[in-house]
Amino acid sequence: MKIFATYNIKGGVGKTATAVNLGYLAAKDGYRVLLWDLDPQGAASYLFRIKPRVKGGGKALIKGTKSIDSAIKGTDFDRLELLPADFTYRNLDLLLDAAKRPARRLAALLAPLKGEYDVVFLDCPPSISLLSESVLHAADLLLVPLIPTTLSVRTLDQLTEFMAGFNGHRPDVLAFFSMVDRRKRLHTQIAADLPAQRPDFAATAIPALSVIEQMSVQRAPVTAFSPRSQAARQYGHLWQEARERAGLTG
Ligand SMILES: Nc1ncnc2c1ncn2[C@@H]1O[C@H](COP(=O)(O)OP(=O)(O)OP(=O)(O)O)[C@@H](O)[C@H]1O
Ligand SMILES: [Mg+2]
């Protein structure tokens, strides 16, 4: 079982769009996929038409009084299942703080699912918190969407430095440019230069495309409702890179 997390301290950069589309593509490839919508806003749950509700809330999951298994819902797609968001997830930090070994808690909660899923996607809310720390400890590969600006690269360096302080498990990082606007010269320049210079950058970038915004109208991944679009093609390339980087074979 490989655990992928879409993560950035910044909001609105394409984390959920990435988790939803790569999750769909992984399932299409034949993997058994679980996507955990960790954001109390519940955007991923919404996109899969699933009520953002977990009985007993985040507390029951973190404490282990409710099994993760019993909270999982099926989606409209084969092999793709969702652990929904819940509004109580806004308190996940406090709940984790009260738990034993909070930074390892998510990894411990996911460990029993090893036989049931091949791939897990964690869709994180934008923050740097105890929850994100727990996600970073659980993940094999971190997918970091970045809007191409000079500051975004600093964000990535700060994240890498933060993780360098971890003892034990550290996820591999695959950063990629997201919402690249071809009309902005700085965007195209940065998106063209950096991937060639840094091994932590994917060769694939996701352009800013209105069909991706359409996901919230269609309530489905763009890779599902418009599989031949440029957007779907780029997500396909990104999934190939992520999959290879994580060492997923077969
Ligand atoms: N490449 C893209 N082109 C155009 N629109 C996009 C693209 N990626 C995402 N969007 C849109 O931008 C908005 C934010 O994207 P998304 O929800 O994926 O970001 P996020 O990083 O998960 O945000 P948050 O931090 O709030 O969780 C959404 O409305 C989404 O449809
Ligand atoms: Mg999101």
Side-chain angles (χ1 to χ4, degrees), residues 69-133:
D69 254 343
S70 63
I72 291 171
K73 307 275 186 224
T75 68
D76 295 340
F77 307 105
D78 290 342
R79 292 179 299 278
L80 179 54
E81 301 188 338
L82 185 95
L83 182 50
D86 189 272
F87 195 55
T88 59
Y89 285 3
R90 70 189 186 283
N91 297 323
L92 276 185
D93 256 26
L94 294 173
L95 296 166
L96 282 170
D97 201 31
K100 262 189 278 173
R101 292 160 49 90
R104 315 270 168 199
R105 191 69 196 126
L106 280 196
L109 285 173
L110 291 168
L113 300 178
K114 257 184 200 133
E116 285 166 67
Y117 297 98
D118 307 304
V119 172
V120 174
F121 276 91
L122 303 174
D123 184 27
C124 298
S127 70
I128 186 142
S129 59
L130 201 46
L131 170 64
S132 27
E133 213 177 313

Side-chain angles (χ1 to χ4, degrees), residues 6 8-18 39 41 43 47 123-126 145 178-180 206-216 235:
T6 51
N8 191 316
I9 186 169
K10 281 196 206 302
V13 295
K15 296 182 294 295
T16 299
T18 304
D39 189 338
Q41 295 177 98
L47 289 174
D123 184 27
C124 298
S178 176
M179 300 183 178
V180 180
I206 306 295
L209 293 165
S210 56
V211 71
I212 297 178
E213 284 174 73
Q214 281 295 315
M215 291 200 303
S216 51
Y235 279 122

Side-chain angles (χ1 to χ4, degrees), residues 156-157 160 172-176 194-195 197-202 245:
L156 179 63
D157 289 336
T160 314
D172 199 359
V173 173
L174 188 65
F176 63 96
L194 268 163
Q197 294 161 9
R198 294 183 52 144
D200 53 351
F201 267 88
R245 184 67 80 92

Side-chain angles (χ1 to χ4, degrees), residues 144-230:
V144 185
L146 298 166
I147 313 284
T149 66
T150 18
L151 272 181
S152 69
V153 179
R154 264 197 72 216
T155 307
L156 179 63
D157 289 336
Q158 283 167 343
L159 173 64
T160 314
E161 271 168 43
F162 175 59
M163 290 194 297
F166 287 7
N167 42 35
H169 178 82
R170 244 173 263 155
D172 199 359
V173 173
L174 188 65
F176 63 96
F177 286 118
S178 176
M179 300 183 178
V180 180
D181 186 344
R182 269 191 313 156
R183 293 162 306 178
K184 294 186 179 156
R185 210 158 71 94
L186 192 64
H187 269 216
T188 45
Q189 222 165 43
I190 293 178
D193 292 347
L194 268 163
Q197 294 161 9
R198 294 183 52 144
D200 53 351
F201 267 88
T204 307
I206 306 295
L209 293 165
S210 56
V211 71
I212 297 178
E213 284 174 73
Q214 281 295 315
M215 291 200 303
S216 51
V217 180
Q218 302 273 346
R219 295 188 72 179
V222 64
T223 40
F225 71 76
S226 191
R228 282 182 233 293
S229 60
Q230 187 197 358

